Amino acid sequence: MIVDCGIYRNGHRTDGPSDFSDALDAARAAGDAFVWIGLHEPSEEEFTHVTDEFKLHPLAVEDALKAHQRPKLEVYDDSLFVVLKPVHYEPDSDTVSSGELMLFLGDSFVVTVRHGDGTPIAELRKHLEEKPEMLRHGPTSVLYSIADEVVDHYLVVADELQNDLEELETAVFSPDGSTSGTGASTASRIYNFKRQILEFRRATGPLAMPMLRLAGNGPFAAAVPFVDDAVRPFFRDVSDHLTRVNESVEGLDRLVSDILSAHLAQMGVRQNDDMRKISAWAAMAAVPTMIAGIYGMNFDHMPELHWVWSYPAVIALMIVLEVLLYQQFKRRGWL
């Protein structure tokens, strides 16, 4: 559905035709104005009118309708197509979810298409309308403001994940970590955390090259049309923030892999300790079993078989041997 349609001239929103087709004609006639149309999960029929009026490329239109795209920047003859993935962190479930935000930039127009719960465009539009000095740069100012908002929220999510990782480290490496939960549940938490990092990386990693191109630093940067040169330094700032996010994501991924390896090593050590204890108790149980088995054999001629003190002597021998074995295993740390 079409959420909003506004005409902006000289950095200020102005009254104009409610129909976006007439609004685009009015903006182009003014020369220093542009149209900003916002859509939320539009149907194919709704988007067809926008496509025909703004002459959007069919491949970009297909991506905008189907969603599930990687962050990217594509240049067409009549427009620029940018895909962003806003990320949302759920503190209750410690999960990362992502939406999709697509922008079409062209001659005197910008079209935003939003899928899922991501950056609230209405609030961002209102905030941007309070900065006419930025809006004077045309559609590029909208692209910069949205990209800046998305990347700044990446930093917030990265901090939340860092806090979760510290809690996970405490649970794994604390002295009572082995008793705070089963090994399987801890491994499951670590694996789930790694999945959240992967979801986060899918949003941040591929966006690095588009931001470099928009900033004029990457390969073929000069070939990016519809970008105001005065806004390129702002994209460099966004690119720097994104670099910090990607470095943070890489660090989180390495740390959680190390934590998983350390947890598995701890599990192996605990299993070895358990096997030693089982072996020690089995050895202690084998001694009286062996003695009882020997004296339980049906032979007539056996030493001390008819001696009055044979039974208490054998019991005493078993006790002495068990005590000696227990002390020996305890000294070696097996019990």
Side-chain angles (χ1 to χ4, degrees):
M1 59 178 293
I2 298 178
V3 179
D4 197 359
C5 175
I7 300 178
Y8 298 86
R9 184 174 184 180
N10 196 27
H12 297 277
R13 183 163 182 163
T14 61
D15 296 330
S18 57
D19 181 74
F20 62 82
S21 178
D22 296 334
L24 179 60
D25 293 337
R28 287 176 173 171
D32 59 348
F34 71 95
V35 179
W36 180 0
I37 298 178
L39 301 97
H40 181 247
E41 298 182 355
S43 64
E44 185 174 355
E45 182 180 356
E46 290 173 334
F47 207 58
T48 298
H49 300 295
V50 179
T51 302
D52 295 339
E53 183 61 34
F54 295 100
K55 296 180 175 55
L56 305 179
H57 197 279
L59 291 178
V61 171
E62 181 181 0
D63 290 344
L65 287 174
K66 292 184 177 179
H68 304 294
Q69 304 296 317
R70 297 173 72 248
K72 61 182 178 179
L73 167 65
E74 293 182 348
V75 179
Y76 297 101
D77 293 337
D78 299 319
S79 63
L80 189 69
F81 181 57
V82 181
V83 179
L84 303 172
K85 291 182 75 68
V87 169
H88 181 66
Y89 177 80
E90 294 287 349
D92 295 334
S93 57
D94 295 335
T95 57
V96 173
S97 59
S98 61
E100 289 193 40
L101 190 55
M102 296 136 178
L103 297 93
F104 295 87
L105 272 75
D107 180 17
S108 302
F109 73 87
V110 55
V111 179
T112 57
V113 182
R114 184 163 61 94
H115 291 268
D117 296 328
T119 302
I121 298 299
E123 295 180 10
L124 191 146
R125 183 192 290 258
K126 182 179 179 181
H127 181 67
L128 187 57
E129 288 174 353
E130 298 173 355
K131 298 180 179 180
E133 67 282 358
M134 177 59 69
L135 276 174
R136 288 190 183 99
H137 295 292
T140 309
S141 63
V142 178
L143 174 59
Y144 157 71
S145 299
I146 293 177
D148 184 55
E149 180 70 19
V150 169
V151 173
D152 282 348
H153 194 66
Y154 286 166
L155 292 170
V156 176
V157 174
D159 289 340
E160 294 287 351
L161 290 175
Q162 181 65 44
N163 293 335
D164 287 348
L165 181 62
E166 291 174 359
E167 294 177 1
L168 194 58
E169 281 183 310
T170 301
V172 172
F173 295 108
S174 62
D176 59 343
S178 60
T179 60
S180 60
T182 63
S185 65
T186 303
S188 177
R189 286 182 59 194
I190 297 173
Y191 180 74
N192 181 67
F193 187 80
K194 196 170 183 63
R195 286 183 63 97
Q196 306 313 312
I197 294 176
L198 178 60
E199 180 70 20
F200 192 27
R201 173 181 281 176
R202 286 172 179 167
T204 64
L207 188 58
M209 185 56 69
M211 287 297 106
L212 286 174
R213 292 185 64 187
L214 291 170
N217 295 335
F220 312 109
V224 180
F226 310 111
V227 177
D228 192 335
D229 290 336
V231 186
R232 288 187 184 274
F234 294 95
F235 282 113
R236 294 187 191 122
D237 181 66
V238 176
S239 180
D240 290 342
H241 290 176
L242 184 61
T243 300
R244 287 174 50 196
V245 172
N246 284 325
E247 289 175 351
S248 178
V249 172
E250 290 292 334
L252 288 171
D253 188 55
R254 287 195 299 269
L255 282 174
V256 75
S257 297
D258 293 342
I259 290 174
L260 180 58
S261 299
H263 173 67
L264 295 176
Q266 286 181 336
M267 291 287 291
V269 170
R270 286 197 292 267
Q271 288 175 352
N272 289 337
D273 290 340
D274 293 341
M275 288 301 300
R276 282 199 300 247
K277 291 178 181 179
I278 294 172
S279 299
W281 286 112
M284 292 172 63
V287 171
T289 302
M290 179 188 67
I291 296 176
I294 292 174
Y295 278 90
M297 292 185 293
N298 295 322
F299 293 110
D300 291 333
H301 303 287
M302 294 184 67
E304 295 86 23
L305 186 62
H306 301 288
W307 185 35
V308 176
W309 297 100
S310 294
Y311 179 76
V314 169
I315 296 298
L317 177 62
M318 290 182 182
I319 293 175
V320 170
L321 291 176
E322 290 296 301
V323 170
L324 292 176
L325 286 174
Y326 179 83
Q327 291 177 344
Q328 185 69 11
F329 289 137
K330 192 71 173 179
R331 188 180 301 111
R332 293 178 176 271
W334 284 37
L335 290 175

